[in-house]
Amino acid sequence: MAIIRPMRLADLKEVIQIEESSFPRPWSANTFLTQIAKDASICLVAEVDGRVVGYTIATQYVEVWHLLDLAVNKGYRRRYIATELLEQIFELCGQAKHRGYTLEVRKSNRGAIKMYESFGFICTGLRKGYYSDNGEDALIMWKDSEDMSA
Ligand SMILES: CC(C)(COP(=O)(O)OP(=O)(O)OC[C@H]1O[C@@H](n2cnc3c(N)ncnc32)[C@H](O)[C@@H]1OP(=O)(O)O)[C@@H](O)C(=O)NCCC(=O)NCCS
């Protein structure tokens, strides 16, 4: 089991290493700093044996939570680290009224799509050519807040 806790500035070195090995267009350190400083954002890391092995960032615009970033160190994947991070995000976001959650994911990212679907996300649209590195489409996914789906 991982420890899930708020991201700190001191985590950024490990977070950026994971980010750079996970995405063709990784976020910069400044983008992480902006999110950490933002009241409307939740930035979490997963720690195993004192090491940061995954992280996620969600931010609220109006009444919707946007899942902006989620990655797990390659050597720690398929151990439910992302699942634990997402469960904690839903727990924290669910404390105040909102409409739901949205995210974009590469159409080819079958593993991530399967994981989001297991949490109740559904595909609601497509952004054609959304990813500038290869022109790939993004699926737009949506999940109702617990209040809305009750
Ligand atoms: C997507 C990612 C965050 C998943 O992290 P993870 O900790 O390995 O995910 P979990 O162990 O919590 O997976 C939970 C379930 O999701 C599904 N899943 C996750 N990764 C999968 C994969 N590569 N292939 C197929 N199913 C996958 C499975 O159903 C899995 O359950 P199972 O292992 O019992 O079959 C990780 O692969 C990653 O960092 N990828 C690169 C960055 C990325 O694509 N981020 C998402 C951007 S939208």
Side-chain angles (χ1 to χ4, degrees), residues 89-112:
I89 282 284
F90 298 138
E91 173 80 29
L92 294 170
C93 295
Q95 289 172 4
K97 195 167 160 28
H98 66 105
R99 285 178 45 224
Y101 309 87
T102 190
L103 61 87
E104 279 105 19
V105 57
R106 282 178 195 260
K107 206 172 150 186
S108 64
N109 196 345
R110 302 303 316 162

mmCIF file with all atom_site columns, all heavy atoms in Angstrom, residues 89-112:
data_model
loop_
_atom_site.group_PDB
_atom_site.id
_atom_site.type_symbol
_atom_site.label_atom_id
_atom_site.label_alt_id
_atom_site.label_comp_id
_atom_site.label_asym_id
_atom_site.label_entity_id
_atom_site.label_seq_id
_atom_site.pdbx_PDB_ins_code
_atom_site.Cartn_x
_atom_site.Cartn_y
_atom_site.Cartn_z
_atom_site.occupancy
_atom_site.B_iso_or_equiv
_atom_site.pdbx_formal_charge
_atom_site.auth_seq_id
_atom_site.auth_comp_id
_atom_site.auth_asym_id
_atom_site.auth_atom_id
_atom_site.pdbx_PDB_model_num
ATOM 1   N N   . ILE A 1 89  ? -8.551  11.336 -4.569  1.00 0.00 ? 89  ILE A N   1
ATOM 2   C CA  . ILE A 1 89  ? -9.059  12.531 -5.272  1.00 0.00 ? 89  ILE A CA  1
ATOM 3   C C   . ILE A 1 89  ? -10.589 12.590 -5.149  1.00 0.00 ? 89  ILE A C   1
ATOM 4   O O   . ILE A 1 89  ? -11.153 13.627 -4.809  1.00 0.00 ? 89  ILE A O   1
ATOM 5   C CB  . ILE A 1 89  ? -8.638  12.501 -6.771  1.00 0.00 ? 89  ILE A CB  1
ATOM 6   C CG1 . ILE A 1 89  ? -7.176  12.922 -6.927  1.00 0.00 ? 89  ILE A CG1 1
ATOM 7   C CG2 . ILE A 1 89  ? -9.535  13.367 -7.643  1.00 0.00 ? 89  ILE A CG2 1
ATOM 8   C CD1 . ILE A 1 89  ? -6.914  14.417 -6.790  1.00 0.00 ? 89  ILE A CD1 1
ATOM 9   N N   . PHE A 1 90  ? -11.256 11.460 -5.407  1.00 0.00 ? 90  PHE A N   1
ATOM 10  C CA  . PHE A 1 90  ? -12.727 11.470 -5.341  1.00 0.00 ? 90  PHE A CA  1
ATOM 11  C C   . PHE A 1 90  ? -13.199 11.760 -3.915  1.00 0.00 ? 90  PHE A C   1
ATOM 12  O O   . PHE A 1 90  ? -14.189 12.446 -3.705  1.00 0.00 ? 90  PHE A O   1
ATOM 13  C CB  . PHE A 1 90  ? -13.309 10.152 -5.850  1.00 0.00 ? 90  PHE A CB  1
ATOM 14  C CG  . PHE A 1 90  ? -12.990 9.879  -7.297  1.00 0.00 ? 90  PHE A CG  1
ATOM 15  C CD1 . PHE A 1 90  ? -12.624 8.620  -7.727  1.00 0.00 ? 90  PHE A CD1 1
ATOM 16  C CD2 . PHE A 1 90  ? -13.033 10.907 -8.233  1.00 0.00 ? 90  PHE A CD2 1
ATOM 17  C CE1 . PHE A 1 90  ? -12.315 8.378  -9.053  1.00 0.00 ? 90  PHE A CE1 1
ATOM 18  C CE2 . PHE A 1 90  ? -12.722 10.685 -9.564  1.00 0.00 ? 90  PHE A CE2 1
ATOM 19  C CZ  . PHE A 1 90  ? -12.362 9.415  -9.974  1.00 0.00 ? 90  PHE A CZ  1
ATOM 20  N N   . GLU A 1 91  ? -12.470 11.242 -2.960  1.00 0.00 ? 91  GLU A N   1
ATOM 21  C CA  . GLU A 1 91  ? -12.806 11.497 -1.550  1.00 0.00 ? 91  GLU A CA  1
ATOM 22  C C   . GLU A 1 91  ? -12.705 13.002 -1.242  1.00 0.00 ? 91  GLU A C   1
ATOM 23  O O   . GLU A 1 91  ? -13.621 13.596 -0.695  1.00 0.00 ? 91  GLU A O   1
ATOM 24  C CB  . GLU A 1 91  ? -11.808 10.698 -0.691  1.00 0.00 ? 91  GLU A CB  1
ATOM 25  C CG  . GLU A 1 91  ? -11.855 10.925 0.787   1.00 0.00 ? 91  GLU A CG  1
ATOM 26  C CD  . GLU A 1 91  ? -12.980 10.160 1.455   1.00 0.00 ? 91  GLU A CD  1
ATOM 27  O OE1 . GLU A 1 91  ? -13.342 9.091  0.925   1.00 0.00 ? 91  GLU A OE1 1
ATOM 28  O OE2 . GLU A 1 91  ? -13.497 10.667 2.465   1.00 0.00 ? 91  GLU A OE2 1
ATOM 29  N N   . LEU A 1 92  ? -11.606 13.621 -1.653  1.00 0.00 ? 92  LEU A N   1
ATOM 30  C CA  . LEU A 1 92  ? -11.393 15.043 -1.347  1.00 0.00 ? 92  LEU A CA  1
ATOM 31  C C   . LEU A 1 92  ? -12.329 15.942 -2.159  1.00 0.00 ? 92  LEU A C   1
ATOM 32  O O   . LEU A 1 92  ? -12.912 16.886 -1.623  1.00 0.00 ? 92  LEU A O   1
ATOM 33  C CB  . LEU A 1 92  ? -9.930  15.433 -1.614  1.00 0.00 ? 92  LEU A CB  1
ATOM 34  C CG  . LEU A 1 92  ? -8.900  14.766 -0.710  1.00 0.00 ? 92  LEU A CG  1
ATOM 35  C CD1 . LEU A 1 92  ? -7.486  15.034 -1.213  1.00 0.00 ? 92  LEU A CD1 1
ATOM 36  C CD2 . LEU A 1 92  ? -9.049  15.283 0.722   1.00 0.00 ? 92  LEU A CD2 1
ATOM 37  N N   . CYS A 1 93  ? -12.483 15.632 -3.443  1.00 0.00 ? 93  CYS A N   1
ATOM 38  C CA  . CYS A 1 93  ? -13.334 16.476 -4.299  1.00 0.00 ? 93  CYS A CA  1
ATOM 39  C C   . CYS A 1 93  ? -14.795 16.352 -3.886  1.00 0.00 ? 93  CYS A C   1
ATOM 40  O O   . CYS A 1 93  ? -15.581 17.282 -4.061  1.00 0.00 ? 93  CYS A O   1
ATOM 41  C CB  . CYS A 1 93  ? -13.207 16.078 -5.767  1.00 0.00 ? 93  CYS A CB  1
ATOM 42  S SG  . CYS A 1 93  ? -11.578 16.349 -6.460  1.00 0.00 ? 93  CYS A SG  1
ATOM 43  N N   . GLY A 1 94  ? -15.150 15.198 -3.353  1.00 0.00 ? 94  GLY A N   1
ATOM 44  C CA  . GLY A 1 94  ? -16.546 14.942 -3.002  1.00 0.00 ? 94  GLY A CA  1
ATOM 45  C C   . GLY A 1 94  ? -16.997 15.687 -1.757  1.00 0.00 ? 94  GLY A C   1
ATOM 46  O O   . GLY A 1 94  ? -18.178 15.669 -1.410  1.00 0.00 ? 94  GLY A O   1
ATOM 47  N N   . GLN A 1 95  ? -16.057 16.361 -1.084  1.00 0.00 ? 95  GLN A N   1
ATOM 48  C CA  . GLN A 1 95  ? -16.432 17.036 0.159   1.00 0.00 ? 95  GLN A CA  1
ATOM 49  C C   . GLN A 1 95  ? -17.234 18.317 -0.076  1.00 0.00 ? 95  GLN A C   1
ATOM 50  O O   . GLN A 1 95  ? -17.867 18.828 0.832   1.00 0.00 ? 95  GLN A O   1
ATOM 51  C CB  . GLN A 1 95  ? -15.179 17.323 0.996   1.00 0.00 ? 95  GLN A CB  1
ATOM 52  C CG  . GLN A 1 95  ? -14.608 16.038 1.585   1.00 0.00 ? 95  GLN A CG  1
ATOM 53  C CD  . GLN A 1 95  ? -13.261 16.239 2.252   1.00 0.00 ? 95  GLN A CD  1
ATOM 54  O OE1 . GLN A 1 95  ? -12.763 17.351 2.347   1.00 0.00 ? 95  GLN A OE1 1
ATOM 55  N NE2 . GLN A 1 95  ? -12.661 15.149 2.700   1.00 0.00 ? 95  GLN A NE2 1
ATOM 56  N N   . ALA A 1 96  ? -17.171 18.861 -1.275  1.00 0.00 ? 96  ALA A N   1
ATOM 57  C CA  . ALA A 1 96  ? -17.963 20.072 -1.578  1.00 0.00 ? 96  ALA A CA  1
ATOM 58  C C   . ALA A 1 96  ? -18.798 19.805 -2.833  1.00 0.00 ? 96  ALA A C   1
ATOM 59  O O   . ALA A 1 96  ? -18.432 18.966 -3.665  1.00 0.00 ? 96  ALA A O   1
ATOM 60  C CB  . ALA A 1 96  ? -17.035 21.262 -1.810  1.00 0.00 ? 96  ALA A CB  1
ATOM 61  N N   . LYS A 1 97  ? -19.894 20.546 -2.943  1.00 0.00 ? 97  LYS A N   1
ATOM 62  C CA  . LYS A 1 97  ? -20.826 20.308 -4.055  1.00 0.00 ? 97  LYS A CA  1
ATOM 63  C C   . LYS A 1 97  ? -20.150 20.588 -5.411  1.00 0.00 ? 97  LYS A C   1
ATOM 64  O O   . LYS A 1 97  ? -19.433 21.573 -5.560  1.00 0.00 ? 97  LYS A O   1
ATOM 65  C CB  . LYS A 1 97  ? -22.014 21.248 -3.869  1.00 0.00 ? 97  LYS A CB  1
ATOM 66  C CG  . LYS A 1 97  ? -23.217 20.907 -4.704  1.00 0.00 ? 97  LYS A CG  1
ATOM 67  C CD  . LYS A 1 97  ? -24.412 21.697 -4.210  1.00 0.00 ? 97  LYS A CD  1
ATOM 68  C CE  . LYS A 1 97  ? -25.530 21.812 -5.234  1.00 0.00 ? 97  LYS A CE  1
ATOM 69  N NZ  . LYS A 1 97  ? -25.669 20.767 -6.197  1.00 0.00 ? 97  LYS A NZ  1
ATOM 70  N N   . HIS A 1 98  ? -20.360 19.716 -6.352  1.00 0.00 ? 98  HIS A N   1
ATOM 71  C CA  . HIS A 1 98  ? -19.832 19.919 -7.710  1.00 0.00 ? 98  HIS A CA  1
ATOM 72  C C   . HIS A 1 98  ? -20.620 19.026 -8.656  1.00 0.00 ? 98  HIS A C   1
ATOM 73  O O   . HIS A 1 98  ? -21.403 18.183 -8.211  1.00 0.00 ? 98  HIS A O   1
ATOM 74  C CB  . HIS A 1 98  ? -18.327 19.582 -7.762  1.00 0.00 ? 98  HIS A CB  1
ATOM 75  C CG  . HIS A 1 98  ? -18.018 18.145 -7.522  1.00 0.00 ? 98  HIS A CG  1
ATOM 76  N ND1 . HIS A 1 98  ? -17.652 17.285 -8.524  1.00 0.00 ? 98  HIS A ND1 1
ATOM 77  C CD2 . HIS A 1 98  ? -18.052 17.389 -6.398  1.00 0.00 ? 98  HIS A CD2 1
ATOM 78  C CE1 . HIS A 1 98  ? -17.455 16.075 -8.015  1.00 0.00 ? 98  HIS A CE1 1
ATOM 79  N NE2 . HIS A 1 98  ? -17.692 16.113 -6.735  1.00 0.00 ? 98  HIS A NE2 1
ATOM 80  N N   . ARG A 1 99  ? -20.421 19.233 -9.989  1.00 0.00 ? 99  ARG A N   1
ATOM 81  C CA  . ARG A 1 99  ? -21.209 18.457 -10.964 1.00 0.00 ? 99  ARG A CA  1
ATOM 82  C C   . ARG A 1 99  ? -20.547 17.144 -11.338 1.00 0.00 ? 99  ARG A C   1
ATOM 83  O O   . ARG A 1 99  ? -21.219 16.173 -11.681 1.00 0.00 ? 99  ARG A O   1
ATOM 84  C CB  . ARG A 1 99  ? -21.434 19.285 -12.232 1.00 0.00 ? 99  ARG A CB  1
ATOM 85  C CG  . ARG A 1 99  ? -22.481 20.386 -12.021 1.00 0.00 ? 99  ARG A CG  1
ATOM 86  C CD  . ARG A 1 99  ? -22.646 21.232 -13.273 1.00 0.00 ? 99  ARG A CD  1
ATOM 87  N NE  . ARG A 1 99  ? -22.721 20.394 -14.456 1.00 0.00 ? 99  ARG A NE  1
ATOM 88  C CZ  . ARG A 1 99  ? -22.070 20.636 -15.598 1.00 0.00 ? 99  ARG A CZ  1
ATOM 89  N NH1 . ARG A 1 99  ? -21.303 21.695 -15.708 1.00 0.00 ? 99  ARG A NH1 1
ATOM 90  N NH2 . ARG A 1 99  ? -22.182 19.832 -16.621 1.00 0.00 ? 99  ARG A NH2 1
ATOM 91  N N   . GLY A 1 100 ? -19.219 17.128 -11.352 1.00 0.00 ? 100 GLY A N   1
ATOM 92  C CA  . GLY A 1 100 ? -18.563 15.890 -11.765 1.00 0.00 ? 100 GLY A CA  1
ATOM 93  C C   . GLY A 1 100 ? -17.107 16.126 -12.138 1.00 0.00 ? 100 GLY A C   1
ATOM 94  O O   . GLY A 1 100 ? -16.524 17.164 -11.786 1.00 0.00 ? 100 GLY A O   1
ATOM 95  N N   . TYR A 1 101 ? -16.578 15.142 -12.856 1.00 0.00 ? 101 TYR A N   1
ATOM 96  C CA  . TYR A 1 101 ? -15.145 15.130 -13.191 1.00 0.00 ? 101 TYR A CA  1
ATOM 97  C C   . TYR A 1 101 ? -14.990 14.965 -14.698 1.00 0.00 ? 101 TYR A C   1
ATOM 98  O O   . TYR A 1 101 ? -15.731 14.201 -15.323 1.00 0.00 ? 101 TYR A O   1
ATOM 99  C CB  . TYR A 1 101 ? -14.459 13.935 -12.526 1.00 0.00 ? 101 TYR A CB  1
ATOM 100 C CG  . TYR A 1 101 ? -14.723 13.818 -11.058 1.00 0.00 ? 101 TYR A CG  1
ATOM 101 C CD1 . TYR A 1 101 ? -15.856 13.134 -10.590 1.00 0.00 ? 101 TYR A CD1 1
ATOM 102 C CD2 . TYR A 1 101 ? -13.855 14.373 -10.125 1.00 0.00 ? 101 TYR A CD2 1
ATOM 103 C CE1 . TYR A 1 101 ? -16.111 13.029 -9.228  1.00 0.00 ? 101 TYR A CE1 1
ATOM 104 C CE2 . TYR A 1 101 ? -14.105 14.267 -8.765  1.00 0.00 ? 101 TYR A CE2 1
ATOM 105 C CZ  . TYR A 1 101 ? -15.239 13.586 -8.323  1.00 0.00 ? 101 TYR A CZ  1
ATOM 106 O OH  . TYR A 1 101 ? -15.502 13.485 -6.976  1.00 0.00 ? 101 TYR A OH  1
ATOM 107 N N   . THR A 1 102 ? -13.979 15.615 -15.249 1.00 0.00 ? 102 THR A N   1
ATOM 108 C CA  . THR A 1 102 ? -13.693 15.412 -16.667 1.00 0.00 ? 102 THR A CA  1
ATOM 109 C C   . THR A 1 102 ? -12.190 15.275 -16.880 1.00 0.00 ? 102 THR A C   1
ATOM 110 O O   . THR A 1 102 ? -11.384 15.696 -16.032 1.00 0.00 ? 102 THR A O   1
ATOM 111 C CB  . THR A 1 102 ? -14.286 16.555 -17.528 1.00 0.00 ? 102 THR A CB  1
ATOM 112 O OG1 . THR A 1 102 ? -14.178 16.194 -18.903 1.00 0.00 ? 102 THR A OG1 1
ATOM 113 C CG2 . THR A 1 102 ? -13.578 17.874 -17.289 1.00 0.00 ? 102 THR A CG2 1
ATOM 114 N N   . LEU A 1 103 ? -11.837 14.672 -17.986 1.00 0.00 ? 103 LEU A N   1
ATOM 115 C CA  . LEU A 1 103 ? -10.415 14.509 -18.335 1.00 0.00 ? 103 LEU A CA  1
ATOM 116 C C   . LEU A 1 103 ? -10.295 14.243 -19.827 1.00 0.00 ? 103 LEU A C   1
ATOM 117 O O   . LEU A 1 103 ? -11.279 13.892 -20.486 1.00 0.00 ? 103 LEU A O   1
ATOM 118 C CB  . LEU A 1 103 ? -9.800  13.353 -17.540 1.00 0.00 ? 103 LEU A CB  1
ATOM 119 C CG  . LEU A 1 103 ? -10.399 11.957 -17.739 1.00 0.00 ? 103 LEU A CG  1
ATOM 120 C CD1 . LEU A 1 103 ? -9.754  11.216 -18.913 1.00 0.00 ? 103 LEU A CD1 1
ATOM 121 C CD2 . LEU A 1 103 ? -10.221 11.127 -16.483 1.00 0.00 ? 103 LEU A CD2 1
ATOM 122 N N   . GLU A 1 104 ? -9.086  14.424 -20.340 1.00 0.00 ? 104 GLU A N   1
ATOM 123 C CA  . GLU A 1 104 ? -8.772  14.033 -21.713 1.00 0.00 ? 104 GLU A CA  1
ATOM 124 C C   . GLU A 1 104 ? -7.737  12.918 -21.675 1.00 0.00 ? 104 GLU A C   1
ATOM 125 O O   . GLU A 1 104 ? -6.824  12.960 -20.844 1.00 0.00 ? 104 GLU A O   1
ATOM 126 C CB  . GLU A 1 104 ? -8.174  15.194 -22.509 1.00 0.00 ? 104 GLU A CB  1
ATOM 127 C CG  . GLU A 1 104 ? -9.183  16.158 -23.060 1.00 0.00 ? 104 GLU A CG  1
ATOM 128 C CD  . GLU A 1 104 ? -9.197  17.452 -22.280 1.00 0.00 ? 104 GLU A CD  1
ATOM 129 O OE1 . GLU A 1 104 ? -8.211  17.721 -21.578 1.00 0.00 ? 104 GLU A OE1 1
ATOM 130 O OE2 . GLU A 1 104 ? -10.203 18.183 -22.357 1.00 0.00 ? 104 GLU A OE2 1
ATOM 131 N N   . VAL A 1 105 ? -7.884  11.966 -22.563 1.00 0.00 ? 105 VAL A N   1
ATOM 132 C CA  . VAL A 1 105 ? -6.927  10.861 -22.614 1.00 0.00 ? 105 VAL A CA  1
ATOM 133 C C   . VAL A 1 105 ? -6.703  10.486 -24.073 1.00 0.00 ? 105 VAL A C   1
ATOM 134 O O   . VAL A 1 105 ? -7.632  10.553 -24.891 1.00 0.00 ? 105 VAL A O   1
ATOM 135 C CB  . VAL A 1 105 ? -7.443  9.650  -21.777 1.00 0.00 ? 105 VAL A CB  1
ATOM 136 C CG1 . VAL A 1 105 ? -8.813  9.162  -22.225 1.00 0.00 ? 105 VAL A CG1 1
ATOM 137 C CG2 . VAL A 1 105 ? -6.447  8.505  -21.764 1.00 0.00 ? 105 VAL A CG2 1
ATOM 138 N N   . ARG A 1 106 ? -5.453  10.101 -24.382 1.00 0.00 ? 106 ARG A N   1
ATOM 139 C CA  . ARG A 1 106 ? -5.157  9.689  -25.760 1.00 0.00 ? 106 ARG A CA  1
ATOM 140 C C   . ARG A 1 106 ? -6.032  8.494  -26.126 1.00 0.00 ? 106 ARG A C   1
ATOM 141 O O   . ARG A 1 106 ? -6.147  7.543  -25.327 1.00 0.00 ? 106 ARG A O   1
ATOM 142 C CB  . ARG A 1 106 ? -3.680  9.283  -25.881 1.00 0.00 ? 106 ARG A CB  1
ATOM 143 C CG  . ARG A 1 106 ? -2.751  10.455 -25.966 1.00 0.00 ? 106 ARG A CG  1
ATOM 144 C CD  . ARG A 1 106 ? -1.298  10.011 -26.036 1.00 0.00 ? 106 ARG A CD  1
ATOM 145 N NE  . ARG A 1 106 ? -0.452  11.153 -25.750 1.00 0.00 ? 106 ARG A NE  1
ATOM 146 C CZ  . ARG A 1 106 ? 0.175   11.882 -26.685 1.00 0.00 ? 106 ARG A CZ  1
ATOM 147 N NH1 . ARG A 1 106 ? 0.116   11.531 -27.950 1.00 0.00 ? 106 ARG A NH1 1
ATOM 148 N NH2 . ARG A 1 106 ? 0.892   12.925 -26.340 1.00 0.00 ? 106 ARG A NH2 1
ATOM 149 N N   . LYS A 1 107 ? -6.541  8.558  -27.363 1.00 0.00 ? 107 LYS A N   1
ATOM 150 C CA  . LYS A 1 107 ? -7.416  7.488  -27.849 1.00 0.00 ? 107 LYS A CA  1
ATOM 151 C C   . LYS A 1 107 ? -6.721  6.120  -27.783 1.00 0.00 ? 107 LYS A C   1
ATOM 152 O O   . LYS A 1 107 ? -7.364  5.088  -27.594 1.00 0.00 ? 107 LYS A O   1
ATOM 153 C CB  . LYS A 1 107 ? -7.747  7.828  -29.311 1.00 0.00 ? 107 LYS A CB  1
ATOM 154 C CG  . LYS A 1 107 ? -9.015  7.305  -29.836 1.00 0.00 ? 107 LYS A CG  1
ATOM 155 C CD  . LYS A 1 107 ? -9.218  7.921  -31.219 1.00 0.00 ? 107 LYS A CD  1
ATOM 156 C CE  . LYS A 1 107 ? -9.995  6.980  -32.103 1.00 0.00 ? 107 LYS A CE  1
ATOM 157 N NZ  . LYS A 1 107 ? -10.061 7.503  -33.472 1.00 0.00 ? 107 LYS A NZ  1
ATOM 158 N N   . SER A 1 108 ? -5.376  6.107  -27.928 1.00 0.00 ? 108 SER A N   1
ATOM 159 C CA  . SER A 1 108 ? -4.636  4.834  -27.937 1.00 0.00 ? 108 SER A CA  1
ATOM 160 C C   . SER A 1 108 ? -4.297  4.340  -26.533 1.00 0.00 ? 108 SER A C   1
ATOM 161 O O   . SER A 1 108 ? -3.759  3.238  -26.383 1.00 0.00 ? 108 SER A O   1
ATOM 162 C CB  . SER A 1 108 ? -3.319  5.020  -28.710 1.00 0.00 ? 108 SER A CB  1
ATOM 163 O OG  . SER A 1 108 ? -2.496  5.955  -28.013 1.00 0.00 ? 108 SER A OG  1
ATOM 164 N N   . ASN A 1 109 ? -4.600  5.119  -25.502 1.00 0.00 ? 109 ASN A N   1
ATOM 165 C CA  . ASN A 1 109 ? -4.155  4.769  -24.136 1.00 0.00 ? 109 ASN A CA  1
ATOM 166 C C   . ASN A 1 109 ? -5.165  3.818  -23.484 1.00 0.00 ? 109 ASN A C   1
ATOM 167 O O   . ASN A 1 109 ? -5.869  4.144  -22.526 1.00 0.00 ? 109 ASN A O   1
ATOM 168 C CB  . ASN A 1 109 ? -3.975  6.047  -23.302 1.00 0.00 ? 109 ASN A CB  1
ATOM 169 C CG  . ASN A 1 109 ? -3.157  5.817  -22.046 1.00 0.00 ? 109 ASN A CG  1
ATOM 170 O OD1 . ASN A 1 109 ? -2.942  4.676  -21.641 1.00 0.00 ? 109 ASN A OD1 1
ATOM 171 N ND2 . ASN A 1 109 ? -2.719  6.890  -21.411 1.00 0.00 ? 109 ASN A ND2 1
ATOM 172 N N   . ARG A 1 110 ? -5.220  2.606  -24.030 1.00 0.00 ? 110 ARG A N   1
ATOM 173 C CA  . ARG A 1 110 ? -6.252  1.639  -23.636 1.00 0.00 ? 110 ARG A CA  1
ATOM 174 C C   . ARG A 1 110 ? -6.254  1.348  -22.134 1.00 0.00 ? 110 ARG A C   1
ATOM 175 O O   . ARG A 1 110 ? -7.288  1.211  -21.511 1.00 0.00 ? 110 ARG A O   1
ATOM 176 C CB  . ARG A 1 110 ? -6.095  0.302  -24.400 1.00 0.00 ? 110 ARG A CB  1
ATOM 177 C CG  . ARG A 1 110 ? -6.134  0.362  -25.915 1.00 0.00 ? 110 ARG A CG  1
ATOM 178 C CD  . ARG A 1 110 ? -7.383  0.983  -26.493 1.00 0.00 ? 110 ARG A CD  1
ATOM 179 N NE  . ARG A 1 110 ? -8.617  0.540  -25.865 1.00 0.00 ? 110 ARG A NE  1
ATOM 180 C CZ  . ARG A 1 110 ? -9.773  1.180  -25.970 1.00 0.00 ? 110 ARG A CZ  1
ATOM 181 N NH1 . ARG A 1 110 ? -9.861  2.287  -26.664 1.00 0.00 ? 110 ARG A NH1 1
ATOM 182 N NH2 . ARG A 1 110 ? -10.849 0.717  -25.370 1.00 0.00 ? 110 ARG A NH2 1
ATOM 183 N N   . GLY A 1 111 ? -5.035  1.218  -21.555 1.00 0.00 ? 111 GLY A N   1
ATOM 184 C CA  . GLY A 1 111 ? -4.954  0.892  -20.132 1.00 0.00 ? 111 GLY A CA  1
ATOM 185 C C   . GLY A 1 111 ? -5.579  1.970  -19.273 1.00 0.00 ? 111 GLY A C   1
ATOM 186 O O   . GLY A 1 111 ? -6.389  1.683  -18.368 1.00 0.00 ? 111 GLY A O   1
ATOM 187 N N   . ALA A 1 112 ? -5.247  3.234  -19.560 1.00 0.00 ? 112 ALA A N   1
ATOM 188 C CA  . ALA A 1 112 ? -5.799  4.340  -18.765 1.00 0.00 ? 112 ALA A CA  1
ATOM 189 C C   . ALA A 1 112 ? -7.314  4.427  -18.975 1.00 0.00 ? 112 ALA A C   1
ATOM 190 O O   . ALA A 1 112 ? -8.072  4.623  -18.017 1.00 0.00 ? 112 ALA A O   1
ATOM 191 C CB  . ALA A 1 112 ? -5.122  5.651  -19.151 1.00 0.00 ? 112 ALA A CB  1
#
